[in-house]
Amino acid sequence: MTPVNAIALPPKICIGSRAQANSACTNCNLRGLCVPAGLSSEELEHLDTLVTTRRTVHRGETLFRRGDRFASIYAVRSGFFKTTISSEDGRDQVTGFQMTGELLGLDGIGDSSHNCDAVALEDSAVCVIPFARLEGLAHEFAGLQREFHRVMSREIVRDHGVMLLLSGMSAEERLAAFLVNLARRLEARGFSSSSFVLRMTRAEIGAYLGLKLETVSRTFSKLQNDGILDVRQREVHIVDPIALSRLVSDDAA
Amino acid sequence: MTPVNAIALPPKICIGSRAQANSACTNCNLRGLCVPAGLSSEELEHLDTLVTTRRTVHRGETLFRRGDRFASIYAVRSGFFKTTISSEDGRDQVTGFQMTGELLGLDGIGDSSHNCDAVALEDSAVCVIPFARLEGLAHEFAGLQREFHRVMSREIVRDHGVMLLLSGMSAEERLAAFLVNLARRLEARGFSSSSFVLRMTRAEIGAYLGLKLETVSRTFSKLQNDGILDVRQREVHIVDPIALSRLVSDDAA
DNA sequence: CGCTGTTTTGAGCGTCCTCAAGAGTAGTGG
DNA sequence: CCACTACTCTTGAGGACGCTCAAAACAGCG
C-alpha cells in the first residue's frame, strides 16, 4: 500500500533457465555480478556443469552453521543473508550481509568446516557450488582459478574496510558508510540507489557496525532530522545522497 | 644488557640454504609455518623453482604501497611487518602484523594493485613469490592450489575475528586478545610465549585495536597493577597467562 | 649532551552504552 | 474481524568508558 512497495528490494529475480537445466550460469542474469564476471564463454559452460543444484532457505533458517563440515560454497540467487560469528560470552558479530550474486562460505575452506552461521533474512535461494569440483575445474581453467582468487582477495579487502570503519568512525559515519555501500550494491543490481527496504533489524545493523540497536535507531532519527534521510521503519529514502557520502570519513573538513 | 634481551623476538632465523640456491623452500626451516605446510615433497621442489629472489626491507621502509602494481606476494623470512590502510581524512588502520612465515600482499590480487601499505617494523627479509607463476604452478599441482586457498580463507577468518574484537570488546579485552594471539604465534615459532619484545609502538597497537595510544598505555599499566603483566616499555612478561586468557571474552562469568 | 620520538599519567569531556518505558507493526487464532 | 501476543523500533535519563588536551618522564641516537 505504501508507495515504497514499488521499490522493494528483491522482485524475485527471474531466472533465464530452469533450475535443472545445465546452463545454470551461462543463461543466468546474475552473470555480471557473480563469479562468472571475468570468464570466457567456454569457461562459463564448464561452470554450468558444476552448478547443478539449488537450495531454498526460508527466512530465519540457516544455510550452514559454524562447525558444519565444509563441502560447498554458495552463490546467492535471490534473497538476502547475514553471516555471524559469536564469541563465547554470547555477543555476536555480523560479518557481512550478502545479496544477489554474492558468495557465502569462503571462510570454511581454511579448516574444512564453516566458521560462521549463514542465516536467510528473507526467503532465499542459493546455487550450491561443490568446492572440490570447483577446485578441480579451476585446476583446468586458469581463468576460473584467477577469478576465484580475485573474489577471495576482494573479500579480504572488504573486511579491512570494515575494520577501518569499526576502529575509528563515529556512529553517524558508520551508518552513513553502511547505507552508501548498500545503495551502491543495490544500484549495481538495477535497483534504486535512493529508496530501498532494509532486510535486517536495527539490532543486526548494530551487530555489523559495532553499535547497540538503540544507537542505530537514534542515528537514523538524527539523519532524518538533518534532512539527509527519510526513514519509516525499514523503508529508507536517501534525500540528500551527497550529504550522506560527505559524512563518510570527512570530519577533517 | 637487560635480561629480556635474551628473549628478544627475532634471533636472525638461520637459513638452511643460501639465498641463491634453488632449494629455497625445501630446506627452509620455516617450512612448517609458511605456505609449504601442507605440501608433498614433490610439490615443495616445484615451489623452490618459484621462490628465487629475496628482498631485504629495512626498518621503516615499505615493501609495497597502496596503489603499487600487484605482481607478487611475499613471505616474511625474518623480521616483522605491519600492513595499514588509511581513510581520506588521515586516520589509519593497521590491518595486521606479520611475522616469520606469514604472507603479505594477498589483498592485491583482487584488482591487481596493492590495497595497503606494508611497512617493516625492523630490518626484515622476505621471499618474493611472483603471483602469475604461483598461479601457474597451482594450476599444475592441486595440492599447492588447495593450500593457497586455505591460506586465503584463514586470512578471512582472522579478519572476522578482528571485527569481533573491534566491535564488542573493551580496551582490556582487546589488549589481552592481542597479547594472547602474539604469544601463541611466537610460541609456534619456538620463542617464549611468556616473555617477548614488542616490535610496534603503542600508537601502532592502538591503530590495530581501535584504541588511542594513551588508552593502550593505560591498559598496559592496569594489567601490570593487576599482576597479570610485567611491562617495561616494549618488553612484556606475561606473569599470569591464565588470567590473561580469561580476560578475552569472559565478562559473562 | 641535547635532540627526537615514545611512553606514562592526569583532568575533563563527549559519545555511546545501559536501563527502562512506551509506541508501532506483524502474525495468530478465536 | 479484531483481539492478543511477540517483536521491533523509538525516545529518555543517567552513567561509564575511552578520547582529547596537556605535561612530564624516559629511551635511543647522533
Side-chain angles (χ1 to χ4, degrees):
Chain A
M1 268 301 147
T2 64
V4 196
N5 269 348
I7 46 91
L9 208 169
K12 290 301 168 224
I13 300 270
C14 68
I15 309 298
S17 58
R18 296 289 130 246
Q20 258 50 294
N22 57 1
S23 55
C25 299
T26 308
N27 293 332
C28 179
N29 51 12
L30 300 175
R31 256 197 330 283
L33 297 166
C34 196
V35 192
L39 301 182
S40 71
S41 58
E42 190 210 357
E43 287 162 339
L44 245 179
E45 282 177 35
H46 286 282
L47 198 58
D48 283 343
T49 67
L50 199 75
V51 184
T52 53
T53 56
R54 308 246 167 89
R55 192 172 142 191
T56 59
V57 187
H58 291 289
R59 177 196 165 104
E61 290 179 354
T62 61
L63 176 59
F64 53 78
R65 282 177 208 275
R66 180 188 155 85
D68 286 356
R69 198 176 72 81
F70 169 80
S72 304
I73 60 174
Y74 304 89
V76 180
R77 197 158 177 76
S78 66
F80 209 94
F81 285 84
K82 68 169 178 182
T83 47
T84 61
I85 51 175
S86 35
S87 59
E88 297 118 43
D89 58 338
R91 288 176 295 200
D92 57 338
Q93 171 69 22
V94 171
T95 53
F97 295 109
Q98 294 79 21
M99 55 176 77
T100 313
E102 296 175 333
L103 294 184
L104 286 156
L106 294 177
D107 59 345
I109 301 168
D111 61 353
S112 294
S113 72
H114 286 287
N115 269 285
C116 64
D117 298 348
V119 181
L121 297 184
E122 61 181 20
D123 291 355
S124 303
V126 296
C127 297
V128 180
I129 307 174
F131 187 66
R133 296 188 56 202
L134 175 63
E135 273 193 325
L137 214 60
H139 186 57
E140 279 190 72
F141 300 98
L144 181 58
Q145 188 193 46
R146 166 169 311 204
E147 196 53 33
F148 182 64
H149 292 162
R150 289 226 174 90
V151 169
M152 292 209 87
S153 175
R154 278 189 218 113
E155 175 66 19
I156 291 172
V157 172
R158 187 191 71 82
D159 290 343
H160 290 173
V162 176
M163 284 167 62
L164 181 64
L165 178 147
L166 291 173
S167 197
M169 293 191 185
S170 69
E172 204 171 304
E173 291 171 318
R174 294 184 202 196
L175 190 60
F178 170 71
L179 291 172
V180 167
N181 174 276
L182 213 56
R184 199 176 39 69
R185 286 154 70 199
L186 288 170
E187 191 172 31
R189 283 155 184 79
F191 298 105
S192 166
S193 67
S194 59
S195 295
F196 45 85
V197 176
L198 299 171
R199 297 270 95 103
M200 68 294 280
T201 67
R202 302 288 189 261
E204 285 163 336
I205 296 174
Y208 182 58
L209 298 179
L211 302 169
K212 294 293 151 185
L213 70 95
E214 296 95 326
T215 306
V216 174
S217 180
R218 268 185 254 272
T219 308
F220 267 124
S221 300
K222 177 171 188 312
L223 292 180
Q224 170 142 4
N225 287 334
D226 294 354
I228 295 174
L229 295 182
D230 195 8
V231 188
R232 262 198 292 283
Q233 303 291 120
R234 302 207 182 168
E235 296 164 7
V236 175
H237 179 70
I238 300 177
V239 178
D240 189 345
I242 298 158
L244 190 67
S245 345
R246 246 200 315 261
L247 280 180
V248 183
S249 285
D250 191 72
D251 44 315
Chain B
M1 270 301 145
T2 63
V4 196
N5 269 349
I7 47 92
L9 208 167
K12 290 301 169 224
I13 299 271
C14 69
I15 308 299
S17 58
R18 295 291 130 246
Q20 257 53 294
N22 57 2
S23 54
C25 298
T26 308
N27 294 333
C28 179
N29 51 13
L30 300 174
R31 254 196 332 282
L33 296 165
C34 197
V35 192
L39 301 183
S40 71
S41 57
E42 190 209 359
E43 286 162 340
L44 245 178
E45 282 177 36
H46 286 283
L47 198 57
D48 283 341
T49 67
L50 198 76
V51 183
T52 53
T53 56
R54 307 248 166 88
R55 193 171 141 190
T56 60
V57 188
H58 292 288
R59 176 196 164 104
E61 290 178 356
T62 61
L63 175 59
F64 53 78
R65 282 177 209 274
R66 181 189 153 84
D68 285 357
R69 198 177 71 81
F70 169 79
S72 304
I73 60 174
Y74 304 89
V76 180
R77 197 161 176 74
S78 66
F80 208 94
F81 285 84
K82 68 169 178 181
T83 47
T84 62
I85 51 175
S86 36
S87 60
E88 298 118 42
D89 57 340
R91 287 176 295 200
D92 56 339
Q93 171 69 22
V94 170
T95 53
F97 295 109
Q98 294 79 21
M99 54 175 79
T100 314
E102 296 176 332
L103 293 183
L104 286 156
L106 294 176
D107 59 344
I109 301 168
D111 62 352
S112 294
S113 72
H114 287 286
N115 267 285
C116 64
D117 298 348
V119 181
L121 297 185
E122 62 181 18
D123 290 355
S124 304
V126 297
C127 298
V128 180
I129 307 173
F131 187 67
R133 297 189 55 202
L134 175 64
E135 274 193 325
L137 214 60
H139 186 56
E140 278 190 73
F141 299 98
L144 180 60
Q145 187 193 48
R146 167 168 310 203
E147 196 53 33
F148 182 65
H149 292 162
R150 289 226 175 90
V151 168
M152 293 210 86
S153 175
R154 280 189 217 111
E155 175 66 19
I156 292 172
V157 172
R158 187 192 71 82
D159 290 343
H160 289 173
V162 176
M163 284 167 62
L164 181 64
L165 179 148
L166 291 173
S167 197
M169 294 191 186
S170 69
E172 204 173 299
E173 292 172 317
R174 293 184 202 197
L175 190 60
F178 171 71
L179 291 172
V180 167
N181 174 276
L182 213 56
R184 199 176 40 70
R185 286 153 71 200
L186 288 169
E187 191 172 30
R189 284 156 183 78
F191 298 105
S192 166
S193 67
S194 60
S195 294
F196 45 85
V197 176
L198 299 171
R199 298 270 96 102
M200 68 294 280
T201 66
R202 302 287 189 259
E204 285 163 337
I205 296 174
Y208 183 57
L209 298 179
L211 302 169
K212 293 294 151 186
L213 71 94
E214 297 95 325
T215 305
V216 174
S217 180
R218 268 184 255 273
T219 308
F220 267 124
S221 300
K222 177 170 188 312
L223 292 180
Q224 171 142 3
N225 288 334
D226 293 354
I228 295 175
L229 295 182
D230 196 8
V231 188
R232 262 199 293 284
Q233 303 290 122
R234 301 206 184 170
E235 297 164 6
V236 175
H237 179 70
I238 300 178
V239 178
D240 189 344
I242 298 159
L244 190 68
S245 344
R246 245 199 316 261
L247 280 180
V248 183
S249 284
D250 191 74
D251 44 314

